[in-house]
Amino acid sequence: MMEHDRLIGDDGEVTELGAGFFARAKRGRPAMLPEERKVRVNVMIDADLADRLNAVSNKSAFVNAAIRDAIAKAAADQA
């Protein structure tokens, strides 16, 4: 990394962010690659399932895993 691009000083603290930093800065996070992007799907579920899902910390990961398991089981049952 070039010396003028160092944001963490030798003491471990963040250095002052000067005009050069803000001239190159962009808002938000970088765009994800198309193959890594998620797809929004709206579904209607029963109220009791929604209540139980609210107790899960990472709903997206939980639902992804549950759907993957269900699809794998269905494919195995058909084979």
Side-chain angles (χ1 to χ4, degrees):
M1 186 177 277
M2 297 175 62
E3 188 65 30
H4 69 276
D5 285 338
R6 292 188 62 213
L7 299 178
I8 307 297
D10 293 333
D11 59 356
E13 296 293 322
V14 176
T15 59
E16 290 294 320
L17 302 177
F21 172 83
F22 290 105
R24 294 186 312 271
K26 296 180 182 174
R27 287 188 62 148
R29 68 166 92 172
M32 294 177 77
L33 297 173
E35 61 271 8
E36 295 177 358
R37 291 182 189 150
K38 304 273 183 172
V39 176
R40 181 174 301 277
V41 177
N42 295 322
V43 297
M44 300 293 289
I45 60 174
D46 294 336
D48 63 316
L49 292 175
D51 289 340
R52 293 176 69 184
L53 190 57
N54 283 333
V56 176
S57 61
N58 188 344
K59 294 169 186 58
S60 241
F62 180 83
V63 171
N64 282 340
I67 292 172
R68 283 190 178 99
D69 290 346
I71 290 172
K73 184 181 180 309
D77 289 347
Q78 290 180 357

